[in-house]
Amino acid sequence: MSRAGLLRGRFRPDANAIRPPWALVDAQAFASACDACGRCGPACPEGIIAVDRIGRPQIDFAKGGCSFCGACADRCPTGALSRVEEGSPWSLVATIGAACLSLAGTDCRMCQDHCDPAAIRFRPLGRGRWLPTVEEADCTGCGACVAVCPVGAVSVVSRRNGDA
Ligand code: SF4
Ligand code: SF4
């Protein structure tokens, strides 16, 4: 790859980055509107806003979950984050993978214990094993379940249908 190509790649916005709530949905539109002023990150009481390689904010659920307080959007001067009352602030949902301890018969409910909307259920599989499921209609994508999982089995992803 040419040097110019390498530089273009380095400064291209990451389409998979999870932006703060109320961010413009289109990745390129967000990257254009956000001027990397850095005001949203320090405003977050949960400390979950990091920056990507081009200085734009992205959520780091390894540090905790979003309380949807709106402080980040309220500090945004460009409209890249723009709070609206209607609808969901983002289109994310939790998913629990095969590393989940309950699937192997260990009695762990850490994610369920930290889920305020009670979106996580465990269905019996027999022999002490349990299947974790996320009720997508109830999940807000807050990510409070991610950091508390002792084996990193929980992640937050875009909803398949793009609806909130
Ligand atoms: S809404 Fe509040 S808790 Fe969520 S990312 Fe923004 S500042 Fe942080
Ligand atoms: S992302 Fe939030 S609402 Fe969804 S399952 Fe995890 S803790 Fe519950």
Side-chain angles (χ1 to χ4, degrees):
M1 184 183 292
S2 69
R3 179 179 165 80
L6 278 171
L7 289 173
R8 269 198 303 276
R10 187 182 302 168
F11 295 113
R12 189 181 303 137
D14 180 358
N16 296 318
I18 295 177
R19 302 304 180 185
W22 298 284
L24 295 177
V25 173
D26 180 76
Q28 193 59 54
F30 174 81
S32 298
C34 173
D35 63 5
C37 73
R39 294 184 196 180
C40 53
C44 178
E46 309 298 335
I48 62 172
I49 300 181
V51 292
D52 66 12
R53 64 188 189 282
I54 56 172
R56 267 67 174 181
Q58 66 177 16
I59 297 296
D60 182 0
F61 286 123
K63 295 178 178 171
C66 177
S67 62
F68 304 111
C69 68
C72 51
D74 291 345
R75 299 289 166 81
C76 178
T78 66
L81 309 178
S82 187
R83 187 138 73 123
V84 292
E85 295 305 322
E86 312 82 43
S88 176
W90 54 23
S91 185
L92 300 175
V93 67
T95 181
I96 303 175
C100 173
L101 294 172
S102 292
L103 282 169
T106 298
D107 186 22
C108 176
R109 295 286 187 277
M110 289 296 285
C111 55
Q112 188 180 54
D113 291 346
H114 286 78
C115 180
D116 279 349
I120 299 177
R121 318 274 159 76
F122 286 83
R123 306 190 200 290
L125 293 172
R127 298 186 179 180
R129 299 166 61 243
W130 297 79
L131 175 68
T133 57
V134 177
E135 297 295 331
E136 295 197 6
D138 296 330
C139 178
T140 64
C142 73
C145 48
V146 174
V148 297
C149 176
V151 293
V154 188
S155 53
V156 173
V157 298
S158 291
R159 287 178 185 264
R160 282 185 297 271
N161 60 9
D163 296 336

